[in-house]
Amino acid sequence: MFLTISTTGTPERPATDLGFLLHKHPDNAQAFSTSYGTAHVLYPEASAERCTAALLLEVDPVALVRRGKKNNTADAALAQYVNDRPYAASSLLAVALSAVFSSALRGVCKARPERAEEPLPLRVEVPALPARGGPDLVRKLFEPLGWTVEVERVGLDERFPEWGDSRYVRLVLEGEMRLAQALRHLYVLLPVLDDAKHYWVSADEVDKLLRAGEGWLAGHPEQRLITSRYLSRRWSLTREAMQRLELVRLADADDTDVEEIDNAVDESTDTEEKPVPLAVRRREAILDALRASGAARVLDLGCGQGQLVQELLKDVRFTEIVGLDVSVRALTIAARRLRLERMGERQAARVQLVQGSLAYTDKRLKGYDAAVLSEVIEHLDLPRLPALEYAVFGSARPRTVLVTTPNVEYNVRWETLPAGHVRHGDHRFEWTREEFRTWAERVAGRHGYDVRYVPVGDDDPEVGPPTQMAVFTVREAAGPGTAVKKTAVKKTVEKKKEAAA
C-alpha cells in the first residue's frame, strides 16, 4: 500500500523543508519494522520548488494472520492469506503513518518550528483506497476539512468493463493546511473509509480518536459515522466518544459565543484587521484584574477545558493555580490541553485540577488570593445560586472574586441570534446590566465585599458591553457574614430596649 505527500516552495522557503517536518531526510531511503511488515520512506522528488515524500508499507501476510483473529472456517482461513491488505490503504497504513511520522503528527519540529505552525500547500495521493460508501462518502468526509477532493472509482478489471466498478477509489487531496493536521485527517479517515480494523479495538482507542480529532472532529457533519466506524461499531466506546466530543463542542461554543461566530463568517478582505475574539478579550480582562489584585494563588472555578488555566500558567506571578469543575470529562480534556503528563516538575507543581461542585462548601478552596467564575453562573438554575454564593463568598472567601456573565442587552447587536434566544443552549438565564448589579450588590453586602464593574468588549453606548465583569474585593475589617451578624446584633439590641420599656 502506498501514499504520497507533496508540497511546493520557493528558494527562500524551500519545499524540502518537508523533510524537516517529517523528520526524514530526503537524501535517504529509510525502512522501519512494524508488526505487520516493513514501512519504507523515500522521496521520489526533492527540490526547492517541489518535494514529495512517499510511504510504502510492505505487508507480511503471514505476520498479519499470526497476529489476527482466529477463525476455523475454510473460507475465512483462505481469506486471511488472499485479501487486499498488501495493496489497499487501510488501518495498517494509518498505524504505519503514526509510527513513522509520530513527531510530525504531534506538530513537533525543533529544526523548523515556525514551518510546523504554518499552513503548507499540500497534495496527498492514495492510489488504492477501499471506500465503503463510494466517492460521495469520501467527499463528505474530506471536503468539510478544507480539502479539494478528486476521487475516481477503480474498475474491477479494465479488460472487462462490463464487470463494473470495485469498492476501491483513487484519491487525490489538495489543500493548504498544517502538515500535522493533514496527517491527523488521514490517520482517522483511512480506516473509517475501509470500515475495518486489523487489530482489537480497546478502550484506549477513544483517546487516540480524540487526540487525532482535536480541533476538527467535534464540529464535523459526519461525526457520528466517523466515530462509529473508527471504533469498529462498538456501541459502548462510540457512546463514550460522542459524549466527550459533545462536551468539547459545548465548551468551544461557550468560549466562542455569537460574536466570534460572526467574525468567523465575516466576508471582509484579508487586508482588514480581524477583530479580537470576545473569549480572548474576556481572558485578557480577567488576567489584568488578577494582576492588579496582586494575587498569586488563584482558583478557576468551573474551569471547563482549562483555557484560562493555560493562560495563567504562562505568567510566573501566579504561583499556584487550581482548576475545579464538576465534570470529570472536562477535567480530562483540560489535562490533555495542558499536557500535564509531559509538564516539567516545577511547572506541574504550580497547577492542580480537582473535581467538585460549587453547590457545596469545599475546604480545599479556602485560603486562596483570588477566585474566577468565568461564564459560570448563567449555567446554574436560579434557585441554586445562593448555594454557590455561600460556597464561594462565605466559605472559601478569597480576597478577590471575579465573576463574568453575558449581558443580555447586547444580544440585539448580533443578527445571527434570533430574538428571545440565549447565546448558548445550556444557559439557564442571561441578565441585564441592572439585574447583574442588583445580584452583585446583594452578594457583596451580605458577605462583606466591595464590588466594582468592568466592561469586557466594546462598551456600546446604548446596550453596554457584550460581557459584564464584577470585581469583588473583601473588606479588610469584615469577616465572613459580617453584614448578617450586624443585623442580628441590631435586632437583639432593639428587643432588649422593648423589654426594658
Side-chain angles (χ1 to χ4, degrees):
M1 57 185 73
F2 191 67
L3 177 148
T4 62
I5 302 173
S6 304
T7 189
T8 56
T10 64
E12 294 78 22
R13 305 184 76 76
T16 48
D17 282 350
L18 182 65
F20 288 104
L21 300 179
L22 293 173
H23 296 260
K24 304 293 179 287
H25 200 288
D27 292 343
N28 300 330
Q30 302 178 55
F32 304 86
S33 295
T34 72
S35 301
Y36 304 95
T38 305
H40 302 270
V41 178
L42 58 149
Y43 287 77
E45 56 182 341
S47 66
E49 291 74 28
R50 184 176 176 82
C51 184
T52 298
L55 175 63
L56 171 65
L57 182 59
E58 188 179 7
V59 175
D60 180 353
V62 176
L64 188 62
V65 171
R66 286 174 177 169
R67 294 178 62 88
K69 298 176 182 178
K70 303 296 182 182
N71 197 315
N72 295 324
T73 66
D75 290 342
L78 180 61
Q80 292 180 85
Y81 294 92
V82 183
N83 54 49
D84 63 357
R85 290 305 180 227
Y87 315 106
S90 64
S91 60
L92 287 167
L93 188 60
V95 170
L97 195 80
S98 174
V100 175
F101 299 138
S102 58
S103 296
L105 264 168
R106 299 196 309 271
V108 175
C109 181
K110 293 182 179 179
R112 297 285 191 277
E114 74 286 351
R115 293 288 268 165
E117 296 298 323
E118 290 178 2
L120 302 177
L122 296 174
R123 178 183 174 90
V124 177
E125 296 187 49
V126 186
L129 173 66
R132 297 183 186 273
D136 288 342
L137 179 59
V138 177
R139 294 188 183 93
K140 288 179 180 179
L141 294 183
F142 284 102
E143 285 181 346
L145 302 175
W147 292 104
T148 299
V149 180
E150 179 186 331
V151 57
E152 176 186 356
R153 277 194 179 273
V154 177
L156 286 171
D157 193 320
E158 293 181 356
R159 298 169 299 175
F160 303 100
E162 64 274 12
W163 288 3
D165 293 326
S166 69
R167 68 184 183 94
Y168 302 94
V169 299
R170 173 182 172 272
L171 175 65
V172 178
L173 302 173
E174 290 186 325
E176 191 163 323
M177 65 185 66
R178 293 175 59 232
L179 178 64
Q181 196 75 328
L183 293 175
R184 290 171 190 164
H185 295 165
L186 295 169
Y187 175 76
V188 172
L189 297 181
L190 289 181
V192 166
L193 284 166
D194 188 23
D195 198 12
K197 282 199 170 181
H198 64 276
Y199 57 87
W200 175 252
V201 175
S202 58
D204 64 349
E205 288 296 297
V206 176
D207 292 333
K208 293 179 184 178
L209 174 63
L210 296 185
R211 278 197 300 268
E214 184 178 359
W216 63 271
L217 182 55
H220 198 291
E222 299 296 332
Q223 177 199 112
R224 181 174 292 276
L225 180 143
I226 293 171
T227 304
S228 175
R229 285 194 177 190
Y230 185 87
L231 298 170
S232 296
R233 303 180 190 274
R234 291 188 59 187
W235 169 239
S236 60
L237 298 183
T238 302
R239 180 175 57 189
E240 179 187 350
M242 293 294 292
Q243 288 173 345
R244 290 169 63 177
L245 286 168
E246 178 65 9
L247 183 65
V248 172
R249 187 191 67 79
L250 288 175
D252 288 344
D254 196 35
D255 207 43
T256 309
D257 48 32
V258 183
E259 183 184 43
E260 295 174 58
I261 296 171
D262 278 357
N263 293 341
V265 299
D266 189 5
E267 298 181 357
S268 59
T269 63
D270 293 338
T271 57
E272 294 180 1
E273 184 178 354
K274 294 182 180 179
V276 178
L278 180 57
V280 174
R281 299 180 72 173
R282 183 165 54 236
R283 285 194 289 272
E284 289 175 348
I286 290 169
L287 290 168
D288 288 343
L290 288 174
R291 290 170 185 139
S293 73
R297 304 174 68 237
V298 180
L299 298 167
D300 182 7
L301 304 178
C303 64
Q305 293 187 4
Q307 290 94 334
L308 179 59
V309 173
Q310 190 174 38
E311 293 301 316
L312 289 167
L313 277 170
K314 295 176 183 178
D315 193 329
V316 294
R317 77 186 74 191
F318 302 117
T319 58
E320 185 177 349
I321 304 155
V322 174
L324 178 138
D325 203 279
V326 70
S327 168
V328 175
R329 287 194 176 94
L331 293 172
T332 301
I333 295 170
R336 293 199 186 98
R337 173 188 292 276
L338 299 172
R339 299 184 178 181
L340 289 182
E341 73 283 356
R342 304 176 194 171
M343 194 176 286
E345 184 177 349
R346 181 175 297 179
Q347 186 79 332
R350 296 174 56 210
V351 63
Q352 184 182 6
L353 299 178
V354 297
Q355 193 272 339
S357 171
L358 294 176
Y360 306 97
T361 60
D362 191 333
K363 293 180 179 179
R364 296 174 300 176
L365 305 183
K366 292 186 176 182
Y368 285 84
D369 300 327
V372 178
L373 292 157
S374 178
E375 310 299 287
V376 170
I377 60 173
E378 65 272 12
H379 290 272
L380 274 69
D381 293 317
L382 282 170
R384 297 183 68 84
L385 265 186
L388 176 144
E389 294 167 15
Y390 180 74
V392 176
F393 295 91
S395 176
R397 198 166 178 78
R399 291 204 316 265
T400 301
V401 181
L402 309 181
V403 180
T404 74
T405 191
N407 169 22
V408 70
E409 295 168 272
Y410 194 90
N411 288 358
V412 297
R413 292 292 183 256
W414 281 306
E415 297 179 0
T416 56
L417 185 63
H421 284 237
V422 292
R423 299 184 196 178
H424 185 271
D426 191 52
H427 285 184
R428 302 300 197 267
F429 62 88
E430 288 179 355
W431 275 334
T432 65
R433 288 168 290 172
E434 184 60 32
E435 289 170 329
F436 182 51
R437 285 173 180 254
T438 299
W439 172 82
E441 297 288 350
R442 186 180 70 249
V443 171
R446 179 176 297 166
H447 297 285
Y449 281 80
D450 293 318
V451 62
R452 62 185 178 88
Y453 306 94
V454 178
V456 179
D458 295 332
D459 197 353
D460 189 290
E462 295 181 4
V463 296
T467 292
Q468 44 195 344
M469 179 167 72
V471 180
F472 296 84
T473 307
V474 71
R475 297 174 195 151
E476 293 300 330
T482 299
V484 176
K485 290 179 181 177
K486 286 182 177 179
T487 302
V489 170
K490 184 177 180 181
K491 287 182 178 179
T492 302
V493 172
E494 289 176 352
K495 287 181 179 179
K496 286 182 179 180
K497 289 181 177 178
E498 290 177 1

